[in-house]
Amino acid sequence: MAKHQFQTEVNQLLKLIIHSMYSNKDIFLREIVSNASDALDKLKYLTVSDDKFKAISFTPRIDITFDDKENVLTVQDNGIGMDEKDLNDNLGTIARSGTKGFIEQLSKSGADSSDLIGQFGVGFYSAFMAASKIDVYTRKAGGDGKFWHWTSDGTNSYDVDELPADSAPAKKYGFDKAETTGSAIEMHLNDESKDYASRWKIEDLIKKYSNHIAFPIYLHYTQTKYDKDGKADGSESKVDQINSASALWRKSKSELKEEDYNEFYKTFSHDGTDPLLHLHTHAEGTQEYTTLFYIPQVAPFDMYQADYKSGLKLYVKRVFITDDDRELLPAYLRFVRGVIDSEDLPLNVSREILQQNRILETIKTQSIKKLLNEFKKLGEDADKLREPKDADGKERELTEDEKKTLEKWNKFVKSYNRPMKEGLYTDYANRDEIAEIVRFKSTDPAGDGEDKWTSFADYVQRMKEGQKAIYYISGSDEKNLRESPLLEAYKKKGFEVLIMSDEIDDIVIPSYNKYKDWELKAVNRAGSDDELGVDKDEAKKKEEAFKPVQEKIKKALGDRVKDVVLSKRLSDSPSCVVIDENDPSIQMERMMKAMGQGNQSLVKPILEINGDHALVKKLEGPVADDFVAQVSEVLLDQALLISGAELKDPADFVKAMNSLLSK
């Protein structure tokens, strides 16, 4: 028998599961049954696609047995099975990025976090919530015929050894026959979980969590027989199928209730919460296919990781093909979970063929349109409810259904607004539809608040008469952006400005550039102040009068700035910085540095000066060079700070500020 140490993350995870997570132990059976279903899916696919497996006689099934005297619960499948390497890879380690993040979340949330387990690909380990020891007996289909045993009490280590085909466990679970493959998960229940070794408990949990598993689940139990007088008269062994074993997505929508959709989602997604929404479509005609898509309430934990896992399963005529093809939907829709089932793809389709298949490309194109239309409709419905009015135009209270619609939309925007913005950049064919879905904060009251968002369409409706552009300001912090001096003149003019504080906004929005007939202009870019209505003759006079001060500041700052100009947009603040239209933004520069693409500053800002400000007025007439230098440094550095930039030398800024204060 070979003893192995658990991977560090598994060790931490098991301690948390065993000692902290008893709020919803029921989910462990859902996870084990779901894993069994996946094993059956994999072998079913191989029997129709791989000549090596076609000769296998395979009738997929899951069998559940229990011993209420020994308190043992067993889930057995006749699926793909495992060999020694699989046991070490799948049960000894967690080969998924994000595990440490999961453990951190679990530690913070404590006993209320059992819903997180399946989301991180660690469903098997949830069995230790109910079991003090787990034995896994398994043989891999198409392997070397060896019969393996994995065992652990969930502490620091596990054992793996090969058992002979005539051993007691092999005979018990049918592995004494060479053709038997699959896995039997034998869970020795702890004292607090003895009630799971019960026919009624198991049946209730399977109907609740796993009814829509597409393979039959059989429960083995012993039933007492009674004579005509009602006295016990021996017993008999019985086997009942306890799930419907039908592919829910193939059923008509009229047959299904909301609860059916929700429970099916939990079965295959391993998410303990109801989905935010679902979209069920059956297409007939030149191509026949069914799709059932779900949007989770909470964004998948790996959504922003390069190696994120696809949440879609592809079936052909109900035969599982893959759940690891990220080409089924574009990357910006990677949060979508669900099923695609085609009638027209060949069963032996390979992953390489999938990526170039016209049938799948059509399904993908139509699925994107369906999803975007659903998101757009939800957003429009929510927008109508922001200020609800009755037929007479009077304000009214929202109904419960209306409140749910509004809540759904707010959750969608909070979780998925950022990936949807990626679509503006990456999906040229659908960018007009995506532009109607994405939302922004705004200087208008409609976009100022935690659950308040505005769309491009809403902005355009509120535009001032004669306004020619949609204005926005981008940066890393919403609060700082709202207080930016760059907004002063726009506010006075009555122009609404969109607040864009997502780090990807500086990539996405310039590439989108135009919404319908309106150009998008960044107020922190040079040249965006054309519409502020400054009298040209008056401006020219001011520029001439300001020239001596401008030259002093420019000389003092040298190559720290690209230019120094008199500002048209400042009324209260002494200075602000803008970026030349052709230069990368401060945010973009920061992102490039974070990715290791250059440590030197690429951006030289343009310093705009408020010529009427008292501090700037001090520079008029003859003044000492060191005083000009100190004021100039303070004007630039404070403008950079407000814009979200990092100061190259904060100590110099503090010295200059202290010197000015002392004077």
Side-chain angles (χ1 to χ4, degrees):
M1 182 177 285
K3 188 174 283 292
H4 303 265
Q5 290 297 119
F6 277 120
Q7 182 193 36
T8 305
E9 285 88 349
V10 177
N11 231 337
Q12 293 173 287
L13 179 71
L14 288 170
K15 286 175 183 172
L16 281 166
I17 287 174
I18 294 167
H19 299 297
S20 306
M21 298 181 55
Y22 286 89
S23 62
N24 186 16
K25 283 194 292 182
D26 290 353
I27 66 155
F28 86 89
L29 188 57
R30 179 191 76 191
E31 297 300 314
I32 298 300
V33 169
S34 182
N35 287 346
S37 174
D38 288 343
L40 294 171
D41 266 333
K42 287 171 184 173
L43 184 55
K44 187 177 180 182
Y45 171 56
L46 290 171
T47 59
V48 296
S49 64
D50 191 327
D51 291 336
K52 179 182 173 183
F53 293 85
K54 284 182 179 178
I56 293 177
S57 177
F58 178 55
T59 305
R61 61 184 286 158
I62 297 170
D63 291 272
I64 300 179
T65 58
F66 65 93
D67 183 334
D68 54 3
K69 293 183 176 62
E70 297 295 326
N71 296 312
V72 176
L73 173 63
T74 305
V75 176
Q76 182 173 2
D77 67 78
N78 61 337
I80 190 70
M82 291 178 277
D83 57 20
E84 184 179 21
K85 183 178 185 302
D86 295 328
L87 287 168
N88 286 316
D89 289 348
N90 297 336
L91 305 187
T93 64
I94 302 177
R96 293 285 305 279
S97 61
T99 307
K100 287 181 180 175
F102 165 60
I103 291 169
E104 286 170 12
Q105 286 195 39
L106 207 57
S107 302
K108 289 176 188 171
S109 309
D112 296 322
S113 304
S114 55
D115 288 341
L116 292 170
I117 285 180
Q119 296 176 33
F120 287 78
V122 292
F124 170 79
Y125 303 103
S126 66
F128 282 105
M129 288 194 292
S132 56
K133 178 188 172 190
I134 297 177
D135 290 295
V136 178
Y137 301 100
T138 183
R139 179 186 288 137
K140 188 166 186 174
D144 54 15
K146 291 181 178 179
F147 176 51
W148 293 95
H149 172 218
W150 180 100
T151 184
S152 176
D153 60 3
T155 52
N156 298 316
S157 62
Y158 62 93
D159 295 311
V160 177
D161 62 320
E162 183 188 351
L163 296 182
D166 61 353
S167 61
K171 292 177 181 177
K172 182 178 180 181
Y173 296 115
F175 289 102
D176 53 334
K177 302 178 183 67
E179 66 273 15
T180 302
T181 64
S183 302
I185 315 297
E186 192 176 87
M187 294 161 278
H188 301 261
L189 301 171
N190 55 41
D191 290 340
E192 296 84 6
S193 308
K194 292 177 180 178
D195 56 324
Y196 289 101
S198 153
R199 172 191 171 187
W200 308 112
K201 181 74 170 177
I202 295 166
E203 196 167 336
D204 177 60
L205 292 180
I206 294 299
K207 289 189 183 302
K208 181 177 180 181
Y209 292 120
S210 307
N211 195 42
H212 299 298
I213 290 286
F215 305 106
I217 301 173
Y218 295 100
L219 178 62
H220 299 244
Y221 62 95
T222 301
Q223 188 173 59
T224 303
K225 295 196 296 182
Y226 297 91
D227 61 22
K228 59 183 179 180
D229 298 321
K231 293 181 180 179
D233 185 22
S235 62
E236 60 179 330
S237 297
K238 300 199 74 173
V239 180
D240 290 342
Q241 183 175 330
I242 54 175
N243 71 322
S244 63
S246 60
L248 177 134
W249 63 88
R250 300 293 288 260
K251 292 184 177 181
S252 165
K253 286 189 268 190
S254 60
E255 295 179 57
L256 299 168
K257 298 176 182 176
E258 190 75 13
E259 307 90 77
D260 297 322
Y261 284 113
N262 291 348
E263 289 308 324
F264 177 66
Y265 167 74
K266 292 172 187 174
T267 298
F268 82 87
S269 70
H270 306 289
D271 187 350
T273 58
D274 291 338
L276 196 62
L277 57 95
H278 70 267
L279 181 60
H280 191 183
T281 304
H282 182 70
E284 293 179 324
T286 53
Q287 289 180 19
E288 186 177 350
Y289 62 88
T290 301
T291 58
L292 175 54
F293 296 130
Y294 291 94
I295 308 302
Q297 289 210 39
V298 179
F301 81 99
D302 59 353
M303 189 164 72
Y304 294 113
Q305 293 175 5
D307 62 344
Y308 71 88
K309 192 177 187 317
S310 168
L312 293 177
K313 292 190 174 190
L314 175 65
Y315 289 79
V316 174
K317 299 182 181 73
R318 282 188 59 185
V319 175
F320 171 76
I321 304 298
T322 181
D323 60 357
D324 193 29
D325 191 336
R326 299 200 288 189
E327 300 298 318
L328 297 175
L329 282 178
Y332 71 91
L333 293 175
R334 58 190 176 272
F335 54 86
V336 177
R337 273 41 190 148
V339 169
I340 296 174
D341 191 352
S342 169
E343 291 294 310
D344 304 305
L345 283 166
L347 280 169
N348 62 346
V349 65
S350 70
R351 187 169 298 176
E352 291 72 30
I353 293 172
L354 278 177
Q355 291 173 3
Q356 303 164 7
N357 189 280
R358 287 186 181 180
I359 294 171
L360 205 58
E361 192 59 38
T362 301
I363 295 173
K364 178 178 178 178
T365 299
Q366 294 304 315
S367 295
I368 293 169
K369 290 188 181 299
K370 289 274 186 185
L371 285 162
L372 295 182
N373 284 337
E374 188 74 10
F375 301 158
K376 182 181 174 183
K377 182 179 180 300
L378 180 62
E380 289 172 345
D381 290 345
D383 287 343
K384 290 173 187 173
L385 300 174
R386 296 287 176 195
E387 296 175 8
K389 294 178 181 177
D390 59 23
D392 298 324
K394 295 179 180 177
E395 287 190 22
R396 63 174 178 82
E397 283 286 319
L398 291 175
T399 65
E400 287 304 311
D401 284 344
E402 288 173 336
K403 286 178 183 175
K404 285 179 183 176
T405 297
L406 206 52
E407 185 182 358
K408 269 186 188 179
W409 178 244
N410 287 334
K411 284 184 177 179
F412 179 86
V413 174
K414 283 179 182 176
S415 294
Y416 308 118
N417 198 41
R418 181 175 163 182
M420 291 304 299
K421 285 180 183 177
E422 293 172 24
L424 282 177
Y425 185 73
T426 58
D427 189 355
Y428 191 86
N430 294 294
R431 60 179 4 191
D432 289 340
E433 286 76 15
I434 297 168
E436 303 297 343
I437 297 166
V438 293
R439 294 294 190 264
F440 307 94
K441 296 296 184 179
S442 166
T443 55
D444 187 89
D448 185 1
E450 187 181 353
D451 289 332
K452 290 187 176 180
W453 307 85
T454 194
S455 62
F456 285 131
D458 288 338
Y459 180 103
V460 168
Q461 281 190 332
R462 294 191 295 263
M463 280 172 67
K464 297 280 285 184
E465 190 174 344
Q467 185 179 335
K468 297 173 185 174
I470 295 173
Y471 293 103
Y472 70 92
I473 183 169
S474 60
S476 59
D477 183 84
E478 183 187 339
K479 185 174 182 293
N480 282 349
L481 292 176
R482 288 190 180 281
E483 295 171 357
S484 171
L486 289 164
L487 301 181
E488 290 172 3
Y490 296 92
K491 288 178 181 177
K492 279 194 171 183
K493 190 78 177 171
F495 289 168
E496 180 180 352
V497 180
L498 297 176
I499 309 291
M500 300 197 180
S501 54
D502 271 339
E503 59 184 17
I504 64 164
D505 288 333
D506 272 326
I507 302 172
V508 170
I509 302 304
S511 73
Y512 181 57
N513 193 38
K514 197 172 186 180
Y515 172 74
K516 295 185 177 177
D517 296 328
W518 293 277
E519 190 180 347
L520 300 174
K521 284 193 173 184
V523 303
N524 40 356
R525 290 272 180 187
S528 61
D529 52 4
D530 299 340
E531 265 196 276
L532 294 178
V534 178
D535 183 275
K536 289 184 180 178
D537 292 333
E538 185 68 25
K540 200 165 186 180
K541 286 179 187 176
K542 284 188 174 181
E543 283 173 9
E544 285 297 321
F546 182 68
K547 220 165 193 177
V549 175
Q550 177 189 14
E551 288 173 354
K552 289 177 187 176
I553 298 172
K554 203 168 182 179
K555 182 182 177 184
L557 294 175
D559 62 0
R560 284 193 67 193
V561 293
K562 194 165 197 173
D563 201 359
V564 176
V565 298
L566 181 66
S567 181
K568 300 174 188 174
R569 59 185 115 211
L570 294 175
S571 55
D572 300 321
S573 302
S575 61
C576 66
V577 289
V578 293
I579 305 301
D580 189 276
E581 287 182 277
N582 301 313
D583 286 345
S585 68
I586 291 170
Q587 284 297 104
M588 182 74 78
E589 182 186 49
R590 183 180 291 143
M591 286 173 64
M592 291 172 74
K593 282 183 179 178
M595 292 186 289
Q597 297 181 12
N599 294 317
Q600 299 300 313
S601 179
L602 305 172
V603 181
K604 285 189 178 180
I606 296 169
L607 180 64
E608 290 196 2
I609 301 293
N610 178 0
D612 297 324
H613 195 276
L615 184 57
V616 178
K617 290 282 188 186
K618 299 276 187 187
L619 300 182
E620 293 176 354
V623 284
D625 288 348
D626 65 334
F627 180 71
V628 173
Q630 287 167 354
V631 172
S632 301
E633 293 287 338
V634 168
L635 288 172
L636 176 59
D637 285 345
Q638 69 176 12
L640 287 170
L641 280 173
I642 293 170
S643 72
E646 294 177 4
L647 297 186
K648 190 175 180 182
D649 196 338
D652 283 351
F653 170 64
V654 172
K655 281 180 188 175
M657 181 65 80
N658 288 339
S659 179
L660 285 178
L661 288 171
S662 67
K663 292 175 182 179

